Short mmCIF file of all heavy atoms in Angstrom, two decimals:
data_model
loop_
_atom_site.label_atom_id
_atom_site.label_comp_id
_atom_site.label_asym_id
_atom_site.label_seq_id
_atom_site.Cartn_x
_atom_site.Cartn_y
_atom_site.Cartn_z
N LEU A 2 0.81 -1.21 -0.01
CA LEU A 2 -0.06 0.03 0.05
C LEU A 2 0.85 1.29 -0.05
O LEU A 2 0.54 2.19 -0.75
CB LEU A 2 -0.91 0.02 1.25
CG LEU A 2 -2.20 -0.92 1.20
CD1 LEU A 2 -2.82 -1.07 2.50
CD2 LEU A 2 -3.21 -0.24 0.20
N LEU A 3 1.92 1.28 0.81
CA LEU A 3 2.70 2.50 0.89
C LEU A 3 3.41 2.80 -0.38
O LEU A 3 3.72 3.97 -0.62
CB LEU A 3 3.76 2.36 2.05
CG LEU A 3 3.16 2.21 3.53
CD1 LEU A 3 4.29 2.00 4.48
CD2 LEU A 3 2.34 3.44 3.83
N VAL A 4 3.79 1.85 -1.14
CA VAL A 4 4.59 2.05 -2.48
C VAL A 4 3.68 2.19 -3.62
O VAL A 4 4.13 2.52 -4.72
CB VAL A 4 5.68 1.03 -2.71
CG1 VAL A 4 6.63 0.99 -1.50
CG2 VAL A 4 5.03 -0.34 -2.92
N LEU A 5 2.32 2.01 -3.48
CA LEU A 5 1.45 2.09 -4.72
C LEU A 5 1.65 3.42 -5.45
O LEU A 5 1.72 3.34 -6.72
CB LEU A 5 -0.01 1.93 -4.18
CG LEU A 5 -0.50 0.52 -3.99
CD1 LEU A 5 -1.93 0.56 -3.55
CD2 LEU A 5 -0.32 -0.31 -5.26
N PRO A 6 1.70 4.61 -4.86
CA PRO A 6 1.75 5.80 -5.66
C PRO A 6 3.08 5.89 -6.36
O PRO A 6 3.19 6.71 -7.33
CB PRO A 6 1.53 6.95 -4.61
CG PRO A 6 0.88 6.33 -3.49
CD PRO A 6 1.40 4.89 -3.41
N VAL A 7 4.16 5.28 -5.97
CA VAL A 7 5.49 5.36 -6.55
C VAL A 7 5.95 4.04 -7.11
O VAL A 7 7.15 3.78 -7.27
CB VAL A 7 6.49 5.95 -5.56
CG1 VAL A 7 6.15 7.33 -5.13
CG2 VAL A 7 6.47 5.03 -4.32
N LEU A 8 5.02 3.12 -7.43
CA LEU A 8 5.45 1.89 -8.13
C LEU A 8 6.19 2.25 -9.47
O LEU A 8 7.22 1.59 -9.75
CB LEU A 8 4.19 1.10 -8.56
CG LEU A 8 3.54 0.27 -7.46
CD1 LEU A 8 2.31 -0.42 -7.96
CD2 LEU A 8 4.45 -0.71 -6.76
N LEU A 9 5.81 3.27 -10.08
CA LEU A 9 6.48 3.79 -11.26
C LEU A 9 6.62 5.34 -11.01
O LEU A 9 5.75 5.95 -10.35
CB LEU A 9 5.73 3.58 -12.52
CG LEU A 9 5.34 2.17 -12.81
CD1 LEU A 9 4.32 2.12 -13.98
CD2 LEU A 9 6.70 1.38 -13.36
N VAL A 10 7.71 5.91 -11.52
CA VAL A 10 7.95 7.34 -11.49
C VAL A 10 8.51 7.85 -12.75
O VAL A 10 9.15 7.15 -13.42
CB VAL A 10 9.01 7.67 -10.23
CG1 VAL A 10 8.29 7.23 -8.87
CG2 VAL A 10 10.27 6.96 -10.45
N PRO A 11 8.24 9.19 -12.94
CA PRO A 11 8.71 9.72 -14.24
C PRO A 11 10.27 10.02 -14.21
O PRO A 11 10.89 9.99 -13.13
CB PRO A 11 7.96 11.02 -14.37
CG PRO A 11 7.63 11.37 -12.97
CD PRO A 11 7.36 10.03 -12.27
N VAL A 12 10.84 10.17 -15.34
CA VAL A 12 12.31 10.52 -15.39
C VAL A 12 12.52 11.97 -15.11
O VAL A 12 12.18 12.85 -15.94
CB VAL A 12 12.80 10.19 -16.82
CG1 VAL A 12 14.24 10.55 -16.96
CG2 VAL A 12 12.54 8.72 -17.05
N THR A 13 12.97 12.35 -13.88
CA THR A 13 13.38 13.65 -13.49
C THR A 13 14.66 13.66 -12.77
O THR A 13 15.16 12.54 -12.40
CB THR A 13 12.25 14.25 -12.54
OG1 THR A 13 12.27 13.54 -11.34
CG2 THR A 13 10.79 14.14 -13.24
N LYS A 14 15.21 14.78 -12.61
CA LYS A 14 16.48 14.89 -11.89
C LYS A 14 16.43 14.41 -10.45
O LYS A 14 17.40 13.94 -9.88
CB LYS A 14 17.04 16.40 -11.94
CG LYS A 14 17.39 16.92 -13.20
CD LYS A 14 17.87 18.30 -13.19
CE LYS A 14 18.21 18.83 -14.53
NZ LYS A 14 18.72 20.32 -14.53
N ALA A 15 15.21 14.59 -9.86
CA ALA A 15 15.12 14.19 -8.45
C ALA A 15 14.80 12.64 -8.34
O ALA A 15 15.25 12.01 -7.39
CB ALA A 15 13.91 14.94 -7.82
N LEU A 16 14.03 12.03 -9.28
CA LEU A 16 13.60 10.74 -9.19
C LEU A 16 14.56 9.72 -9.76
O LEU A 16 14.62 8.56 -9.23
CB LEU A 16 12.18 10.58 -9.87
CG LEU A 16 11.06 11.39 -9.09
CD1 LEU A 16 9.78 11.27 -9.92
CD2 LEU A 16 10.86 10.85 -7.74
N VAL A 17 15.30 10.10 -10.70
CA VAL A 17 16.21 9.02 -11.34
C VAL A 17 17.26 8.61 -10.38
O VAL A 17 17.46 7.36 -10.22
CB VAL A 17 16.89 9.63 -12.65
CG1 VAL A 17 18.08 8.73 -13.08
CG2 VAL A 17 15.82 9.80 -13.72
N PRO A 18 17.92 9.46 -9.57
CA PRO A 18 18.85 8.90 -8.58
C PRO A 18 18.14 8.01 -7.50
O PRO A 18 18.79 7.08 -7.01
CB PRO A 18 19.39 10.18 -7.89
CG PRO A 18 19.30 11.33 -8.98
CD PRO A 18 17.99 10.92 -9.67
N ALA A 19 16.95 8.42 -7.22
CA ALA A 19 16.19 7.63 -6.25
C ALA A 19 15.94 6.20 -6.75
O ALA A 19 15.99 5.16 -6.14
CB ALA A 19 14.82 8.30 -5.84
N VAL A 20 15.56 6.17 -8.07
CA VAL A 20 15.36 4.83 -8.72
C VAL A 20 16.63 4.04 -8.73
O VAL A 20 16.66 2.82 -8.44
CB VAL A 20 14.84 5.06 -10.17
CG1 VAL A 20 14.79 3.69 -10.86
CG2 VAL A 20 13.45 5.64 -10.06
N ALA A 21 17.78 4.72 -8.98
CA ALA A 21 19.02 3.97 -9.04
C ALA A 21 19.40 3.37 -7.70
O ALA A 21 19.89 2.25 -7.56
CB ALA A 21 20.13 4.97 -9.56
N ALA A 22 19.19 4.22 -6.64
CA ALA A 22 19.50 3.75 -5.30
C ALA A 22 18.61 2.55 -4.91
O ALA A 22 19.10 1.62 -4.31
CB ALA A 22 19.38 4.84 -4.29
N THR A 23 17.32 2.76 -5.27
CA THR A 23 16.47 1.58 -5.02
C THR A 23 16.77 0.35 -5.72
O THR A 23 16.69 -0.76 -5.12
CB THR A 23 14.95 2.07 -5.27
OG1 THR A 23 14.63 3.19 -4.56
CG2 THR A 23 13.98 0.95 -4.94
N ALA A 24 17.19 0.50 -6.93
CA ALA A 24 17.64 -0.70 -7.66
C ALA A 24 18.87 -1.39 -7.03
O ALA A 24 18.98 -2.66 -6.99
CB ALA A 24 17.94 -0.27 -9.15
N VAL A 25 19.76 -0.65 -6.55
CA VAL A 25 20.96 -1.16 -5.90
C VAL A 25 20.49 -1.90 -4.65
O VAL A 25 20.99 -3.08 -4.33
CB VAL A 25 21.98 -0.12 -5.53
CG1 VAL A 25 23.15 -0.64 -4.62
CG2 VAL A 25 22.55 0.57 -6.80
N TRP A 26 19.68 -1.26 -3.85
CA TRP A 26 19.10 -1.92 -2.65
C TRP A 26 18.41 -3.23 -2.96
O TRP A 26 18.59 -4.33 -2.39
CB TRP A 26 18.22 -1.03 -1.98
CG TRP A 26 17.25 -1.71 -0.89
CD1 TRP A 26 17.55 -2.03 0.36
CD2 TRP A 26 15.97 -2.27 -1.19
NE1 TRP A 26 16.50 -2.71 0.92
CE2 TRP A 26 15.57 -2.83 0.08
CE3 TRP A 26 15.13 -2.30 -2.27
CZ2 TRP A 26 14.33 -3.52 0.11
CZ3 TRP A 26 13.95 -2.91 -2.19
CH2 TRP A 26 13.45 -3.54 -0.95
N ALA A 27 17.51 -3.24 -4.01
CA ALA A 27 16.83 -4.42 -4.44
C ALA A 27 17.71 -5.50 -4.85
O ALA A 27 17.53 -6.74 -4.51
CB ALA A 27 15.79 -4.03 -5.48
N ALA A 28 18.77 -5.21 -5.66
CA ALA A 28 19.68 -6.23 -6.09
C ALA A 28 20.43 -6.88 -4.90
O ALA A 28 20.61 -8.20 -4.85
CB ALA A 28 20.69 -5.59 -7.09
#
């Protein structure tokens, strides 16, 4: 439930680094 609004995010300067960090954590 908590991640539903951010399951996907647009490509922006603020969000791309967040996606990259989350991907490292997930791996």
Side-chain angles (χ1 to χ4, degrees):
L2 281 165
L3 294 177
V4 300
L5 278 178
V7 291
L8 285 176
L9 301 166
V10 296
V12 177
T13 67
K14 292 182 179 180
L16 293 175
V17 169
V20 172
T23 303
V25 171
W26 163 86

